Short mmCIF file of all heavy atoms in Angstrom, two decimals:
data_model
loop_
_atom_site.label_atom_id
_atom_site.label_comp_id
_atom_site.label_asym_id
_atom_site.label_seq_id
_atom_site.Cartn_x
_atom_site.Cartn_y
_atom_site.Cartn_z
N GLU M 483 -12.80 -10.83 -9.42
CA GLU M 483 -12.09 -11.94 -8.75
C GLU M 483 -10.60 -11.63 -8.64
O GLU M 483 -9.96 -11.91 -7.62
CB GLU M 483 -12.29 -13.25 -9.53
CG GLU M 483 -13.70 -13.81 -9.47
CD GLU M 483 -13.99 -14.52 -8.15
OE1 GLU M 483 -13.11 -14.59 -7.27
OE2 GLU M 483 -15.15 -14.98 -7.99
N ASP M 484 -10.04 -11.06 -9.70
CA ASP M 484 -8.62 -10.75 -9.74
C ASP M 484 -8.27 -9.72 -8.67
O ASP M 484 -7.33 -9.89 -7.90
CB ASP M 484 -8.27 -10.22 -11.14
CG ASP M 484 -6.78 -10.20 -11.38
OD1 ASP M 484 -6.25 -11.24 -11.81
OD2 ASP M 484 -6.15 -9.17 -11.13
N VAL M 485 -9.05 -8.64 -8.63
CA VAL M 485 -8.77 -7.59 -7.64
C VAL M 485 -8.99 -8.13 -6.23
O VAL M 485 -8.20 -7.86 -5.32
CB VAL M 485 -9.65 -6.35 -7.89
CG1 VAL M 485 -9.33 -5.27 -6.87
CG2 VAL M 485 -9.44 -5.81 -9.30
N ALA M 486 -10.05 -8.93 -6.04
CA ALA M 486 -10.34 -9.47 -4.71
C ALA M 486 -9.18 -10.32 -4.20
O ALA M 486 -8.82 -10.26 -3.02
CB ALA M 486 -11.63 -10.28 -4.73
N ASP M 487 -8.55 -11.09 -5.10
CA ASP M 487 -7.44 -11.93 -4.66
C ASP M 487 -6.20 -11.10 -4.32
O ASP M 487 -5.38 -11.49 -3.50
CB ASP M 487 -7.09 -12.98 -5.71
CG ASP M 487 -6.22 -14.09 -5.13
OD1 ASP M 487 -6.71 -14.81 -4.23
OD2 ASP M 487 -5.05 -14.21 -5.53
N ASN M 488 -6.07 -9.94 -4.98
CA ASN M 488 -4.96 -9.05 -4.66
C ASN M 488 -5.07 -8.47 -3.25
O ASN M 488 -4.10 -7.96 -2.70
CB ASN M 488 -4.88 -7.89 -5.66
CG ASN M 488 -4.45 -8.36 -7.04
OD1 ASN M 488 -3.84 -9.42 -7.16
ND2 ASN M 488 -4.78 -7.60 -8.05
N ILE M 489 -6.28 -8.50 -2.69
CA ILE M 489 -6.51 -7.95 -1.36
C ILE M 489 -6.70 -9.04 -0.32
O ILE M 489 -6.22 -8.96 0.79
CB ILE M 489 -7.75 -7.03 -1.37
CG1 ILE M 489 -7.50 -5.88 -2.34
CG2 ILE M 489 -8.07 -6.49 0.01
CD1 ILE M 489 -8.77 -5.37 -2.95
N PHE M 490 -7.42 -10.12 -0.71
CA PHE M 490 -7.83 -11.12 0.28
C PHE M 490 -7.12 -12.47 0.12
O PHE M 490 -7.54 -13.45 0.71
CB PHE M 490 -9.35 -11.29 0.24
CG PHE M 490 -10.08 -10.01 0.58
CD1 PHE M 490 -10.83 -9.34 -0.36
CD2 PHE M 490 -9.97 -9.46 1.85
CE1 PHE M 490 -11.49 -8.16 -0.05
CE2 PHE M 490 -10.62 -8.28 2.18
CZ PHE M 490 -11.38 -7.62 1.22
N ASN M 491 -6.06 -12.54 -0.66
CA ASN M 491 -5.25 -13.76 -0.67
C ASN M 491 -4.71 -13.97 0.74
O ASN M 491 -4.17 -13.03 1.34
CB ASN M 491 -4.09 -13.61 -1.67
CG ASN M 491 -3.36 -14.92 -1.91
OD1 ASN M 491 -2.89 -15.56 -0.97
ND2 ASN M 491 -3.29 -15.33 -3.15
N PRO M 492 -4.85 -15.18 1.31
CA PRO M 492 -4.44 -15.37 2.71
C PRO M 492 -2.94 -15.20 2.94
O PRO M 492 -2.52 -15.00 4.07
CB PRO M 492 -4.90 -16.79 3.03
CG PRO M 492 -5.19 -17.44 1.72
CD PRO M 492 -5.52 -16.36 0.74
N ASN M 493 -2.13 -15.28 1.89
CA ASN M 493 -0.69 -15.07 2.05
C ASN M 493 -0.36 -13.61 1.71
O ASN M 493 -0.50 -13.19 0.57
CB ASN M 493 0.06 -16.01 1.11
CG ASN M 493 1.58 -15.90 1.29
OD1 ASN M 493 2.08 -14.90 1.80
ND2 ASN M 493 2.29 -16.92 0.85
N PRO M 494 0.09 -12.82 2.71
CA PRO M 494 0.33 -11.39 2.46
C PRO M 494 1.28 -11.11 1.30
O PRO M 494 1.17 -10.07 0.65
CB PRO M 494 0.94 -10.90 3.78
CG PRO M 494 0.43 -11.85 4.81
CD PRO M 494 0.32 -13.18 4.12
N TYR M 495 2.22 -12.05 1.03
CA TYR M 495 3.17 -11.81 -0.06
C TYR M 495 2.47 -11.75 -1.42
O TYR M 495 3.05 -11.31 -2.40
CB TYR M 495 4.24 -12.90 -0.08
CG TYR M 495 5.39 -12.67 0.89
CD1 TYR M 495 5.34 -11.68 1.86
CD2 TYR M 495 6.54 -13.47 0.83
CE1 TYR M 495 6.39 -11.49 2.75
CE2 TYR M 495 7.60 -13.28 1.71
CZ TYR M 495 7.52 -12.30 2.67
OH TYR M 495 8.57 -12.11 3.54
N TYR M 496 1.23 -12.24 -1.48
CA TYR M 496 0.48 -12.20 -2.74
C TYR M 496 -0.54 -11.06 -2.76
O TYR M 496 -1.37 -10.98 -3.66
CB TYR M 496 -0.20 -13.55 -3.00
CG TYR M 496 0.79 -14.65 -3.31
CD1 TYR M 496 1.42 -15.36 -2.30
CD2 TYR M 496 1.13 -14.95 -4.63
CE1 TYR M 496 2.35 -16.35 -2.57
CE2 TYR M 496 2.05 -15.94 -4.92
CZ TYR M 496 2.66 -16.63 -3.89
OH TYR M 496 3.58 -17.61 -4.17
N GLN M 497 -0.48 -10.20 -1.74
CA GLN M 497 -1.40 -9.06 -1.69
C GLN M 497 -0.71 -7.80 -2.20
O GLN M 497 0.49 -7.66 -2.09
CB GLN M 497 -1.85 -8.80 -0.24
CG GLN M 497 -2.64 -9.94 0.38
CD GLN M 497 -2.84 -9.73 1.88
OE1 GLN M 497 -2.47 -8.71 2.44
NE2 GLN M 497 -3.43 -10.73 2.53
N GLN M 498 -1.52 -6.89 -2.75
CA GLN M 498 -0.94 -5.64 -3.27
C GLN M 498 -1.23 -4.43 -2.40
O GLN M 498 -0.69 -3.35 -2.65
CB GLN M 498 -1.44 -5.39 -4.69
CG GLN M 498 -0.93 -6.45 -5.66
CD GLN M 498 -1.51 -6.30 -7.04
OE1 GLN M 498 -2.01 -5.24 -7.41
NE2 GLN M 498 -1.46 -7.36 -7.81
N GLY M 499 -2.11 -4.58 -1.42
CA GLY M 499 -2.22 -3.53 -0.42
C GLY M 499 -3.28 -2.47 -0.60
O GLY M 499 -3.44 -1.63 0.27
N GLY M 500 -4.01 -2.44 -1.69
CA GLY M 500 -5.07 -1.44 -1.82
C GLY M 500 -6.37 -1.95 -1.24
O GLY M 500 -6.39 -2.81 -0.36
N ASP M 501 -7.47 -1.40 -1.70
CA ASP M 501 -8.79 -1.90 -1.32
C ASP M 501 -9.49 -2.41 -2.57
O ASP M 501 -8.99 -2.27 -3.68
CB ASP M 501 -9.60 -0.79 -0.65
CG ASP M 501 -9.18 -0.59 0.80
OD1 ASP M 501 -9.10 -1.59 1.53
OD2 ASP M 501 -8.90 0.56 1.19
N MET M 502 -10.68 -2.99 -2.37
CA MET M 502 -11.47 -3.55 -3.47
C MET M 502 -11.86 -2.44 -4.45
O MET M 502 -12.14 -1.32 -4.03
CB MET M 502 -12.71 -4.22 -2.89
CG MET M 502 -13.50 -5.07 -3.86
SD MET M 502 -12.57 -6.47 -4.47
CE MET M 502 -13.64 -7.00 -5.80
N VAL M 503 -11.86 -2.78 -5.74
CA VAL M 503 -12.32 -1.82 -6.74
C VAL M 503 -13.73 -1.37 -6.36
O VAL M 503 -14.56 -2.17 -5.95
CB VAL M 503 -12.26 -2.45 -8.16
CG1 VAL M 503 -13.13 -3.69 -8.26
CG2 VAL M 503 -12.65 -1.45 -9.22
#
Side-chain angles (χ1 to χ4, degrees):
Chain M
E483 290 282 0
D484 194 87
V485 181
D487 196 64
N488 291 338
I489 299 151
F490 299 113
N491 190 305
N493 183 340
Y495 277 10
Y496 291 85
Q497 297 170 5
Q498 294 175 20
D501 282 311
M502 191 64 192
V503 59

